Amino acid sequence: MVRRYFGTDGIRGRTNESPMTAEIAMRVGQAAGAHFVRGEHRHRVVIGKDTRLSGYMMESALVAGFTSVGMDVVLLGPMPTPAVAMLTRSMRADLGVMISASHNMFADNGIKLFGPDGYKLSDADEIAIEGLLDAPVSLAAPAEIGRARRVEDARGRYVHAVKSSFPEHLRLEGLRIVVDCANGAAYEVAPLALWELGADVISMGVSPNGININDKCGSTDTRALQDKVRDTRADIGIALDGDADRLIVVDNLGRVVDGDQLMALIASGAHRRGQLRGGGLVATVMSNLGLERFLQGQGLSLHRTKVGDRYVVEAMRAEGFNVGGEQSGHIIMSDHATTGDGLVAALQVLAELVESGKPASDLLHLFDPLPQLLKNVRFAGGEPLKDEKVQAAIADAEAQLEGTGRLVIRKSGTEPLIRVMAEGEDSKLVEAMVDQICDAVRKAA
């Protein structure tokens, strides 16, 4: 079945343009509600959101959809995506919804769905919901219409859960930490959790106004965080994205540390303590070859999946791994969470920092990444990757690599972009190959 609405991470798009309209959001609520109404119990859905202006509109539309088919709604307000996953499971809800476009700018929004187990929906569930979106709706009888209520202590519940992932014998006293919350969903919970664990916290990106989410801040733009870490002589900087499911770190020298280095640290630490399962970790095809070589040197493996943290989680569950993630900073530790959690991942990094006694600049750079370059080409429609000249450019690049590097070309699942990535021993060759393929894609598009 060709997907009309769902991409690699739920439904996403520009607000007030299909599929991100109030009308479609209401229909998603009705379709998802109908799909998950099973049995005679009173059904419940948990809804959280980030801080973008359109969240109010989308939240109201989803409430209308769910209640119209007889589901009760629990509203969390602005909360991280992993908090919605956690509370869906702990509140014994039938479904969880996060209204967020993650790291995108405020004009976009999205709908992410979680099952009663707190995991993102499977492809089968998403296809089933798509099939119901344009079907006639079976509305609840007047006396069976759902009710909606807000939970006031949701932030406290999540902070408590996050802190429980941090080793009990450790504290963050003596550490000066700069945290950039991207003016997003974690603007209250992240600084609070770090402060309660004893850190000297310097907060950034904690004044959301509906339109400044991810705007020159957070994990996708760390320049201000790097400056603040240097200016305040902080021990480390933590950057979250708009819905706080990804993490990028800045060391004490102001250098950016990506998800590959963080996964290497977390996995090797867990392996040293005898807590790593699966004999390695799970990452996507975008992770650097340097990570794979580092793990091999530790006697560990790297299991690769296609791009998308949901596919990482699926592989972790199927193969018995407990650490996985993406270079972009989605890091999943299944002992503590069912999805990527930037704050939980940050606490694991901080625990390693405290125990090692080393400066972050020494601790967080475990391998030298191979030269890697990613460029995006926007396209309006069609299938540019099927163009003969594009395929010829790709074949030529693969021949030039001769097994010494990798090439990953794919269509984005969240934006109208073709992503072209290459890595290898020679940085000039990598750049030339990427530019050659991008030029071919532009002409085809």
PDB file of all heavy atoms in Angstrom, residues 16 50 99 125 148 152 184 213 300 382 391 397:
ATOM      1  N   ASN A  16      -1.477  23.800   8.276  1.00  0.00           N
ATOM      2  CA  ASN A  16      -2.580  24.301   7.454  1.00  0.00           C
ATOM      3  C   ASN A  16      -2.416  23.970   5.975  1.00  0.00           C
ATOM      4  O   ASN A  16      -3.066  24.563   5.124  1.00  0.00           O
ATOM      5  CB  ASN A  16      -2.805  25.810   7.649  1.00  0.00           C
ATOM      6  CG  ASN A  16      -3.684  26.099   8.855  1.00  0.00           C
ATOM      7  OD1 ASN A  16      -4.355  25.204   9.375  1.00  0.00           O
ATOM      8  ND2 ASN A  16      -3.682  27.339   9.306  1.00  0.00           N
ATOM      9  N   ASP A  50       4.669  19.686  21.727  1.00  0.00           N
ATOM     10  CA  ASP A  50       5.782  20.585  21.997  1.00  0.00           C
ATOM     11  C   ASP A  50       5.236  22.010  22.056  1.00  0.00           C
ATOM     12  O   ASP A  50       4.043  22.201  22.311  1.00  0.00           O
ATOM     13  CB  ASP A  50       6.923  20.388  20.984  1.00  0.00           C
ATOM     14  CG  ASP A  50       6.548  20.738  19.555  1.00  0.00           C
ATOM     15  OD1 ASP A  50       5.591  21.500  19.350  1.00  0.00           O
ATOM     16  OD2 ASP A  50       7.222  20.252  18.630  1.00  0.00           O
ATOM     17  N   ILE A  99       2.272  15.553  19.520  1.00  0.00           N
ATOM     18  CA  ILE A  99       2.095  16.553  18.470  1.00  0.00           C
ATOM     19  C   ILE A  99       3.407  17.322  18.361  1.00  0.00           C
ATOM     20  O   ILE A  99       3.730  18.146  19.216  1.00  0.00           O
ATOM     21  CB  ILE A  99       0.938  17.505  18.802  1.00  0.00           C
ATOM     22  CG1 ILE A  99      -0.350  16.720  19.052  1.00  0.00           C
ATOM     23  CG2 ILE A  99       0.736  18.515  17.680  1.00  0.00           C
ATOM     24  CD1 ILE A  99      -1.452  17.553  19.691  1.00  0.00           C
ATOM     25  N   ASP A 125       0.170  -1.285  11.761  1.00  0.00           N
ATOM     26  CA  ASP A 125      -0.809  -0.420  12.427  1.00  0.00           C
ATOM     27  C   ASP A 125      -1.002   0.885  11.655  1.00  0.00           C
ATOM     28  O   ASP A 125      -2.130   1.377  11.510  1.00  0.00           O
ATOM     29  CB  ASP A 125      -0.369  -0.118  13.863  1.00  0.00           C
ATOM     30  CG  ASP A 125      -0.696  -1.246  14.825  1.00  0.00           C
ATOM     31  OD1 ASP A 125      -1.747  -1.896  14.652  1.00  0.00           O
ATOM     32  OD2 ASP A 125       0.096  -1.485  15.750  1.00  0.00           O
ATOM     33  N   ALA A 148     -12.404  14.612  28.297  1.00  0.00           N
ATOM     34  CA  ALA A 148     -11.006  15.064  28.263  1.00  0.00           C
ATOM     35  C   ALA A 148     -10.644  15.737  29.577  1.00  0.00           C
ATOM     36  O   ALA A 148     -11.455  16.463  30.157  1.00  0.00           O
ATOM     37  CB  ALA A 148     -10.789  16.041  27.109  1.00  0.00           C
ATOM     38  N   GLU A 152      -1.987  17.484  35.800  1.00  0.00           N
ATOM     39  CA  GLU A 152      -1.134  18.593  36.220  1.00  0.00           C
ATOM     40  C   GLU A 152       0.260  18.153  36.660  1.00  0.00           C
ATOM     41  O   GLU A 152       1.193  18.949  36.651  1.00  0.00           O
ATOM     42  CB  GLU A 152      -1.817  19.362  37.367  1.00  0.00           C
ATOM     43  CG  GLU A 152      -3.187  19.929  37.004  1.00  0.00           C
ATOM     44  CD  GLU A 152      -3.120  20.920  35.845  1.00  0.00           C
ATOM     45  OE1 GLU A 152      -2.057  21.554  35.666  1.00  0.00           O
ATOM     46  OE2 GLU A 152      -4.117  21.049  35.116  1.00  0.00           O
ATOM     47  N   GLY A 184      11.753  24.272  23.293  1.00  0.00           N
ATOM     48  CA  GLY A 184      10.841  23.186  22.961  1.00  0.00           C
ATOM     49  C   GLY A 184      10.249  22.500  24.181  1.00  0.00           C
ATOM     50  O   GLY A 184      10.153  23.077  25.271  1.00  0.00           O
ATOM     51  N   ILE A 213      10.812  27.831  18.442  1.00  0.00           N
ATOM     52  CA  ILE A 213      11.287  26.472  18.643  1.00  0.00           C
ATOM     53  C   ILE A 213      12.310  26.119  17.560  1.00  0.00           C
ATOM     54  O   ILE A 213      12.103  26.393  16.375  1.00  0.00           O
ATOM     55  CB  ILE A 213      10.100  25.476  18.644  1.00  0.00           C
ATOM     56  CG1 ILE A 213      10.570  24.057  19.011  1.00  0.00           C
ATOM     57  CG2 ILE A 213       9.355  25.487  17.335  1.00  0.00           C
ATOM     58  CD1 ILE A 213       9.408  23.077  19.239  1.00  0.00           C
ATOM     59  N   LEU A 300      32.950  -5.772  19.665  1.00  0.00           N
ATOM     60  CA  LEU A 300      31.508  -5.552  19.571  1.00  0.00           C
ATOM     61  C   LEU A 300      31.102  -5.382  18.112  1.00  0.00           C
ATOM     62  O   LEU A 300      31.932  -5.097  17.249  1.00  0.00           O
ATOM     63  CB  LEU A 300      31.106  -4.316  20.381  1.00  0.00           C
ATOM     64  CG  LEU A 300      31.458  -4.336  21.871  1.00  0.00           C
ATOM     65  CD1 LEU A 300      31.161  -2.990  22.515  1.00  0.00           C
ATOM     66  CD2 LEU A 300      30.702  -5.459  22.585  1.00  0.00           C
ATOM     67  N   GLY A 382       7.912  13.627  -8.431  1.00  0.00           N
ATOM     68  CA  GLY A 382       8.532  12.646  -9.305  1.00  0.00           C
ATOM     69  C   GLY A 382       9.472  11.716  -8.565  1.00  0.00           C
ATOM     70  O   GLY A 382       9.510  11.666  -7.333  1.00  0.00           O
ATOM     71  N   GLN A 391      21.350   7.440 -11.736  1.00  0.00           N
ATOM     72  CA  GLN A 391      21.841   6.093 -11.456  1.00  0.00           C
ATOM     73  C   GLN A 391      23.266   5.897 -11.976  1.00  0.00           C
ATOM     74  O   GLN A 391      24.079   5.230 -11.336  1.00  0.00           O
ATOM     75  CB  GLN A 391      20.905   5.069 -12.083  1.00  0.00           C
ATOM     76  CG  GLN A 391      19.528   5.033 -11.425  1.00  0.00           C
ATOM     77  CD  GLN A 391      18.610   3.976 -12.007  1.00  0.00           C
ATOM     78  OE1 GLN A 391      18.955   3.301 -12.969  1.00  0.00           O
ATOM     79  NE2 GLN A 391      17.431   3.825 -11.416  1.00  0.00           N
ATOM     80  N   ALA A 397      30.291   6.719  -8.650  1.00  0.00           N
ATOM     81  CA  ALA A 397      30.815   6.991  -7.310  1.00  0.00           C
ATOM     82  C   ALA A 397      31.145   5.703  -6.579  1.00  0.00           C
ATOM     83  O   ALA A 397      32.176   5.598  -5.901  1.00  0.00           O
ATOM     84  CB  ALA A 397      29.803   7.811  -6.513  1.00  0.00           C
TER      85      ALA A 397
END
